[in-house]
Amino acid sequence: MEHPGQFCVGITFKSGSIFVRHEQGNLIYAKFEHSISRELDPQTHTHVVIANMTMHEGRWMSLSNERLLELRTTADQIYKAAMAHELQKAGYRLDFAHDGNFELQGYTPEQVNEFSLRTQQIDAWLAAQGIEPDQATGADRTRAFYSTRAAKAAPDSAELQREQWLERGQAAGLQPAERHEKGPMELEQTTPRQEAERAVAMARKHLGEREMAFSRKDLYANAARFVEGRASYADLEAAIQREFKAGELRERPDGKITTRGGMEAEKFLAHHLEAGRGAHIKVMSDAEFDKSLGLWERKKGFALSDEQRNAAHMILTGNDRFQGVQGLAGTGKTTLLEFVREAAESKGWAVRGHSNGAEQARKVEQESGIKSGTTARHLIDEEIKEKDAMLARAALRTLDRRSSLSPRPDFEKLEKDKSVTKSQDNGGRRYYITRSGETYTAALYQQSRSVEVRNMRHAGLTKKTYSVGRDGHVYRQGGTLKSEAAAAARQGINRSVDAFFGRGVASLPWRALIKHEAKRALVKHENWGRVGLLRGSLVKAQLGIGDAIARSAEYRALQAQAQSRDADKPMRILNVMDEASMSATTDFNKVIKSTEQAGEKTVFLGDRLQHQSIGAGTAFEQAQAHMPTVELGRDSIRRQQTEEAKSIVGRILDGDHAVAVQATPAVEIRHAQEAALVQHPEKGREQSEALRVAAREDNAAVIKKLSRDYVALPPAERDNVIVITSTNSDCRGINDAVRDERKAHGELQAGVKVETLERTDKTAAESKRAASYRPGEIVQFGASYKAIGVEKNAYARVERTSAEHNTVALRLESGHRVTVQAGKANLQSFRQTEREFAPGDRIRFTKNESLTRSERDAGKADGDRKLNGMSGVVMKIQDGVMHARLDGGREVAVNLREYRHIDHAYATTSVSAQGQTKNQVWVHHNTEGGRHGDRESYVNLTRMRDVAKLYTQDVAKAAQQAGVRLNKSTASASRDEVQAYKDARQVKQMNAGRGAGRQAAATRPAPQPAVARSKDAGRGR
């Protein structure tokens, strides 16, 4: 109760016309500790009743307790962490779940479920509502809890139920929990203080990955979740205060918490964009621009709008390193880019593009001609180039510092030395970096030991080999057909062995054995002999000349590689970042940094009204204040073709989202809700819960109606319809309903069941925590781990986790079992599902296909398998291979045993729909699911050219939800945010303060706060 007493409760009293809130730490409360559930299962828990009174300056006053409900879940998380702490101190071992819940070690899931009837009831209710229990939100589980809670039908006494518990336990094979003399914390190498600091740092990183600012309650709740009972609440509280004191955590004026990293990221963005003003070169002059534009417009047969022309003029004639284009949906940004590309290329510039989504990048490339990929891939490529340039510069510096008399580095010794860091550039050069910072690469010190020459006696068809031995003498191999054939055979065997086994560590013994046996069998036939002094001198001279030429060529190649990332030299490369509004501040800053390092130029295109990034920050909105930016506004909108469509989009742009939704032709089904109102006419919890359940029923009917309407369209017309919804759950529901309709019409036949994978939603901090992985999840390795025999991109199934050791036990597809440290392994986790696919199905690929080792050895590039975000139609499924034609016309074949990232594509989420355009837009708005708001409404309704249609169970509520403002937070609170916080707080205090200041008792002396305990003792949650 320390946490609610410290942060949740205060008093409010009237001072003139202002209500002032005072934090209080003295609560009066009674604890009732119970050990039984309503279903008569053992369940240790505590009820706390707080008296509406507290002491202030010698007077009893009523509480201002509006924050108690807000922080109840945080207090619950702290409660569970405290319980886990005490249990582990007592010597019990615990298994933790992803949400902070835990169980005693040593019990199977079946044994736990035997005493979890309430959980079974809640899961069954969720499944009946079409909600997967593992994916249910906290609100879903709360509704399920109250909907399934029965009245108490037996005395609330653990003693009376103990006999039946023992009988059930014995039947389930339960044994008393093992208690160790030393608890896990006593065996740990770390202290509770260190564990608390680790948990708080994880909570900061976890919250800061998605938002620049977060609430204090979320900070405490996640710190309690991550600590896993290894520290007390007092340790956590002290660690949080140390983070505030050190500046890692900072409080904004509106009460929200931000981080040092967030503040520095926003400062970096502003500073480097400002420094980019006038820091590059123009692509062309004003006169050249006018000439290029005139030629282009005559060729195309239409003219750019004034705003498009201004944007193109800024990009091509400005000398700024960074520029921005803020363009509303449908303003022809890709048309503008087509002209920019052609004009820039005519002046010898290279134009490259990237976007946050693969599908958006494909459309940019298709419509503008700019070669484009994803921003993630762009950043990886830029990081590789920067690393290669750094390695080249370091190797050249080391060479230049060396004396001409210095001995050649011993590369065999460097390879074996474990203190030497080994690295490799994208061209395959291997580098050796010593502890002193010296960097060597073999080609700069090339010293050949052998040379081959064609034997003209055999018409040049065979070769003789001259080699310098360790004794300094030159030896010759060959001279006869037999000897030269033997040497050629041994070289062929060596090449074949390397090709067959690869160059991994695991195959090294086999390769060495086969090569040794080949040498032993053939070397005696190779005819080695020592040559004379004159011939030996000529061979050495030939080797020296060849080495000098090779070293010189390598020096020039490394110079070019080092200078390719010269920040001080303007490069004639123009980068275009599309959908920049969807980029998190961290990625936005990486683009800024890579642009500067390469000496290039970047244009950011986006729309501040569209969806923002999943990651933290509002980079594109903030950037517009620090770089030259041109706007493409209403005057440039060309997408909407009908007056009805223009009117709806106009309402959205005016901020009248509700009016826009109400003006959209709608299909509304609310039969179940109307029946619920008849059954529950009086307002209250029962009516509210009945309406929620009924709304879910109506949503299912809405999806069925939408699917029937969709399939009733001619196939050609379906291609011009985009169905948009808010959540992945509803997207799956629509996909399944459309498939059912198509199968009923005989359009889908010979379907094949396929195991598919859906990515789970884990932050980087969560992925480093073993408890975040659930048994049954599938993980993919992001790197090779030779020590345990795991290749990059290999899949494995989670079997169990250990919070105590932070390890994840996995079973590879080969059947081999491995255990990895969650904090060190590079793992990406997925949820396994089963879907049916048939010829004619519309599908979407959700991940790039990985090249096999043999494909890489054959010279295939990753670009051959870029599938992420691509949509298409299944042509056939044969022998475990799916053949599909992508929307762009390209045909692909994927092995379903190796690639499982496929989904149906009859519907899409609003976020994925961004960047698409169709004649008709059908918006599915489930008022009981998703975070609806202004950005979603804007994106959904601006996808159409001609017609929009709304499918919902409640038009009025959908209109109400359509205008809710949903904005990502910034590290620095805006004036509007601070004022809104003050206004909201004042209203709450005025409401809570009505009648505040009443004395609960007259001016008698106040006794000390007391704590009451019930007789039904127990420890628990």
Side-chain angles (χ1 to χ4, degrees), residues 99-228:
D99 57 1
N101 286 318
F102 59 87
E103 298 289 350
L104 291 167
Q105 274 189 14
Y107 298 104
T108 66
E110 292 76 19
Q111 290 172 329
V112 172
N113 288 336
E114 171 62 28
F115 290 95
S116 303
L117 291 179
R118 285 294 291 128
T119 300
Q120 294 173 32
Q121 291 170 351
I122 289 169
D123 288 350
W125 186 91
L126 290 168
Q129 306 304 312
I131 305 170
E132 295 183 30
D134 288 345
Q135 299 180 43
T137 64
D140 289 334
R141 299 199 75 86
T142 299
R143 287 198 291 273
F145 173 82
Y146 285 113
S147 297
T148 57
R149 186 170 68 163
K152 292 186 179 181
D156 191 0
S157 169
E159 289 299 327
L160 294 176
Q161 304 300 327
R162 196 169 304 280
E163 186 175 344
Q164 64 103 352
W165 289 347
L166 289 173
E167 290 177 0
R168 290 166 60 191
Q170 289 173 357
L174 290 178
Q175 297 293 327
E178 187 176 358
R179 187 171 179 177
H180 302 264
E181 289 186 9
K182 285 190 175 182
M185 292 179 294
E186 296 176 273
L187 300 174
E188 289 278 353
Q189 301 297 315
T190 55
T191 64
R193 171 176 172 150
Q194 291 171 322
E195 290 294 339
E197 289 175 346
R198 178 194 61 81
V200 173
M202 284 184 71
R204 166 170 47 82
K205 292 173 183 176
H206 166 68
L207 294 168
E209 183 175 321
R210 301 288 171 86
E211 287 289 350
M212 283 291 187
F214 41 86
S215 66
R216 188 180 290 269
K217 71 183 181 70
D218 286 339
L219 173 65
Y220 276 84
N222 282 282
R225 175 164 71 105
F226 289 137
V227 78
E228 294 174 347

Side-chain angles (χ1 to χ4, degrees), residues 368-382:
S368 70
I370 297 174
K371 186 70 175 176
S372 301
T374 63
T375 298
R377 181 71 254 176
H378 169 78
L379 290 174
I380 290 172
D381 290 342
E382 292 300 301

Side-chain angles (χ1 to χ4, degrees), residues 837-973:
F837 297 98
D841 254 327
R842 274 202 64 77
I843 58 169
R844 179 186 301 109
F845 297 101
T846 58
K847 193 175 187 293
N848 285 332
E849 187 179 12
S850 303
L851 292 175
T852 64
R853 182 192 298 163
S854 60
E855 287 174 327
R856 290 186 186 279
D857 292 344
K860 278 201 171 186
D862 284 324
D864 297 333
R865 294 295 176 85
K866 285 186 177 179
L867 294 175
N868 188 24
M870 300 292 186
S871 298
V873 176
V874 176
M875 298 166 63
K876 65 177 180 178
I877 301 174
Q878 187 175 10
D879 299 328
V881 177
M882 176 184 285
H883 299 263
R885 180 182 291 109
L886 301 181
D887 289 344
R890 173 182 154 204
E891 293 187 5
V892 296
V894 294
N895 188 332
L896 296 175
R897 288 182 290 272
E898 298 176 357
Y899 181 85
R900 289 169 278 178
H901 305 274
I902 312 172
D903 198 359
H904 298 114
Y906 298 101
T908 184
T909 61
S910 182
V911 172
S912 297
Q914 191 158 300
Q916 298 190 49
T917 303
K918 293 287 185 179
N919 291 347
Q920 296 187 51
V921 171
W922 292 8
V923 178
H924 169 253
H925 187 117
N926 177 7
T927 57
E928 297 302 311
R931 294 183 70 230
H932 304 292
D934 54 349
R935 296 179 182 278
E936 180 187 80
S937 302
Y938 173 78
V939 170
N940 291 354
L941 293 174
T942 55
R943 300 306 95 201
M944 65 171 164
R945 292 191 185 97
D946 304 322
V947 176
K949 188 188 291 187
L950 175 67
Y951 286 83
T952 183
Q953 72 270 60
D954 192 333
V955 172
K957 192 171 183 179
Q960 194 177 38
Q961 294 173 339
V964 175
R965 294 186 63 184
L966 295 176
N967 294 322
K968 301 289 286 188
S969 59
T970 58
S972 302

Side-chain angles (χ1 to χ4, degrees), residues 489-518:
R490 183 154 70 96
Q491 291 174 3
I493 291 171
N494 289 345
R495 285 194 299 269
S496 298
V497 167
D498 288 337
F500 181 80
F501 287 103
R503 296 185 176 274
V505 174
S507 64
L508 184 60
W510 287 104
R511 287 187 282 127
L513 175 63
I514 295 172
K515 289 179 181 180
H516 173 74
E517 291 300 321

